């Protein structure tokens, strides 16, 4: 079966810009994805990160949904240890009621923050231990089959809010297989266990009411431009900015030149950071299409979640459009 294309929008706040700018960019990105035939756009829950504006994930989904017409929108994902299952069921039941047939709910086990922020969220470090039970409780609320006697999620949408398990390790693969849910691997920033996790998921999958056969999604970073050199410059600019942001966490106020950042990324200390973006498609539309087709084939992916990282929003929108058009015109990856 051809591989579907979707988007992970990190809702980044560019240097010198505001969160409102980020929200406007997210609307423009979703509209471009809708025009270009992508299946869905997802937003991830992050907290206490000055460069990411998607902390109130369900609110952002609702805002973008109100400015689009057909594309599916959802969380990729909600970090369930930060919340009670009932509250998330209420939020996504509300979204599905307002925007029927368009809402997804991807669930992750990580806190999406540091230890201090987790405490500020009033969460216990052991909350992640009950993730499998919390997924089942949430699923019960969404389907009207509550596992907590006398408690229902209101509103509960008439339509289905499909669940997806997100992960970057074998734990998520095993849980998704056990519950019979689609599995989305975070290979756009944690590539190491991709192939093993997908194999485990497929081998252990049990059909469920939601899903009869395994469904594999995987993240890929993308920089597409009219010519290869322009795409390469976009990649270098974006990954340098990412490296600077991570370095500053341990050296507040430090400034580094492009040459210093490049040297760091090439050093043993920077190699781990550089390896996080192992799966990156960069180049012309034809080059990116070829890369995505090979990547999808390597794990027999049902769907690719593309993270378009160009710093400038116009470049990012163009990357979305060029990739969508190139992939739509060829097999085996289609819109």
């Amino acid at each position: 079966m051809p591989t579907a294309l979707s988007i992970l929008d990190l809702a980044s706040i560019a240097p010198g810009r505001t969160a409102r700018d980020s929200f406007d960019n997210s609307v423009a990105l979703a509209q471009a994805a809708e025009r270009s035939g992508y299946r869905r756009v997802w937003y991830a829950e992050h907290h206490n990160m000055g460069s990411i504006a998607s902390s109130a994930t369900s609110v952002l989904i609702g805002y973008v949904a109100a400015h689009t017409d057909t594309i599916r929108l959802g969380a990729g994902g909600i970090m369930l240890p930060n919340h009670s299952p009932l509250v998330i069921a209420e939020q996504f039941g509300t979204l599905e009621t307002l925007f029927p047939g368009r809402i997804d709910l991807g669930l992750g086990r990580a806190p999406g923050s540091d230890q201090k922020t987790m405490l500020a969220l009033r969460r216990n470090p052991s909350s992640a231990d009950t993730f499998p039970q919390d997924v089942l409780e949430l699923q019960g609320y969404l389907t009207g089959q509550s596992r907590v006697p006398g408690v229902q999620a209101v509103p509960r949408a008439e339509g289905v809010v499909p669940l997806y398990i997100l992960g970057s390790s074998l734990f998520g693969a095993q849980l998704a297989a056990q519950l019979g849910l689609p599995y989305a691997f975070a290979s756009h920033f944690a590539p190491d266990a991709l192939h093993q996790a997908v194999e485990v998921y497929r081998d252990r999958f049990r059909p469920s009411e939601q899903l009869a056969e395994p469904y594999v999604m995987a993240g890929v970073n993308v920089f597409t431009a009219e010519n290869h050199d322009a795409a390469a410059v976009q990649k270098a600019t974006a990954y340098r900015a990412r490296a600077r942001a991570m370095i500053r966490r341990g050296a507040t106020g430090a400034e580094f030149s492009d040459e210093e950042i490049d040297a760091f990324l090439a050093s043993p200390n920077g190699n781990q950071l550089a390896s996080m973006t192992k799966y990156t498609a960069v180049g012309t539309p034809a080059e990116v299409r070829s890369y995505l087709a090979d990547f999808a084939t390597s794990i027999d992916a049902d769907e690719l979640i593309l993270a378009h990282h160009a710093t400038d929003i116009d470049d990012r929108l163009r990357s979305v459009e060029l990739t969508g058009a190139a992939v739509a015109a060829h097999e085996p990856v289609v819109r």
Side-chain angles (χ1 to χ4, degrees):
M1 184 181 75
T3 306
L5 285 190
S6 296
I7 289 177
L8 174 65
D9 179 3
L10 295 178
S12 58
I13 304 174
R17 311 299 290 183
T18 66
R20 181 54 196 254
D21 295 327
S22 173
F23 299 147
D24 291 341
N25 290 344
S26 288
V27 168
L29 194 74
Q31 291 172 340
E34 189 170 74
R35 291 192 304 269
S36 301
Y38 289 77
R39 178 166 293 181
R40 68 186 96 242
V41 180
W42 278 0
Y43 309 91
E45 176 188 349
H46 293 282
H47 298 282
N48 194 32
M49 298 184 70
S51 60
I52 297 180
S54 54
S55 55
T57 314
S58 59
V59 178
L60 179 57
I61 292 169
Y63 178 69
V64 177
H67 290 82
T68 50
D69 297 315
T70 59
I71 194 165
R72 297 192 66 89
L73 301 164
I78 289 292
M79 301 298 108
L80 197 52
N82 294 337
H83 311 276
S84 75
L86 176 61
V87 169
I88 297 304
E90 291 169 341
Q91 291 177 2
F92 280 79
T94 299
L95 286 168
E96 174 63 24
T97 299
L98 292 170
F99 308 101
R102 297 182 57 202
I103 301 301
D104 300 328
L105 178 49
L107 300 170
R109 185 174 64 130
S113 61
D114 53 49
Q115 292 292 320
K116 290 182 179 179
T117 305
M118 186 169 63
L119 292 175
L121 289 166
R122 302 296 191 268
R123 305 309 295 167
N124 189 299
S126 65
S127 297
D129 296 340
T130 60
F131 180 66
Q133 293 79 14
D134 290 344
V135 172
L136 290 173
E137 182 180 338
L138 172 58
Q139 188 177 49
Y141 291 135
L142 290 171
T143 58
Q145 301 172 353
S146 176
R147 291 171 173 258
V148 182
V151 178
Q152 301 291 334
V154 180
R156 184 175 75 83
E158 293 182 4
V160 175
V161 179
L163 297 184
Y164 301 76
I165 299 298
L166 279 59
S168 57
S169 69
L170 300 187
F171 178 89
Q174 293 167 346
L175 180 62
Q178 179 183 348
L179 300 182
L181 296 176
Y183 180 52
F185 193 90
S187 40
H188 61 293
F189 76 90
D192 292 346
L194 170 63
H195 290 82
Q196 185 180 5
V198 168
E199 182 178 0
V200 166
Y201 170 67
R202 285 208 169 91
D203 286 346
R204 302 187 183 183
F205 181 83
R206 301 176 184 174
S208 68
E209 185 175 339
Q210 178 177 327
L211 193 64
E213 298 178 348
Y215 192 88
V216 172
M217 308 162 73
V220 186
N221 306 292
V222 175
F223 299 87
T224 310
E226 278 82 358
N227 64 77
H228 183 91
D229 290 345
V233 169
Q234 292 172 17
K235 173 189 172 184
T237 301
Y239 285 174
R240 284 169 184 154
R242 179 177 181 173
R244 284 190 177 95
M246 299 188 75
I247 292 172
R248 283 184 185 131
R249 293 181 186 178
T252 304
E255 294 295 337
F256 301 92
S257 68
D258 288 350
E259 291 74 16
E260 289 171 326
I261 292 294
D262 290 343
F264 168 74
L265 291 174
S267 72
N269 287 335
N271 184 62
Q272 182 177 1
L273 180 59
S275 68
M276 292 170 63
T277 54
K278 172 182 177 180
Y279 294 120
T280 298
V282 54
T284 65
E287 290 171 329
V288 168
R289 186 206 63 79
S290 178
Y291 182 98
L292 295 179
D294 290 344
F295 176 80
T297 299
S298 73
I299 55 170
D300 193 21
D302 298 288
E303 185 170 341
L304 300 182
I305 305 288
L306 309 186
H308 294 268
H309 286 302
T311 302
D312 182 83
I313 183 58
D314 290 334
D315 290 336
R316 206 179 315 151
L317 294 173
R318 190 63 177 144
S319 183
V320 167
E321 293 167 346
L322 289 172
T323 305
V327 169
H330 295 81
E331 295 288 354
V333 182
V334 301
R335 292 183 297 175

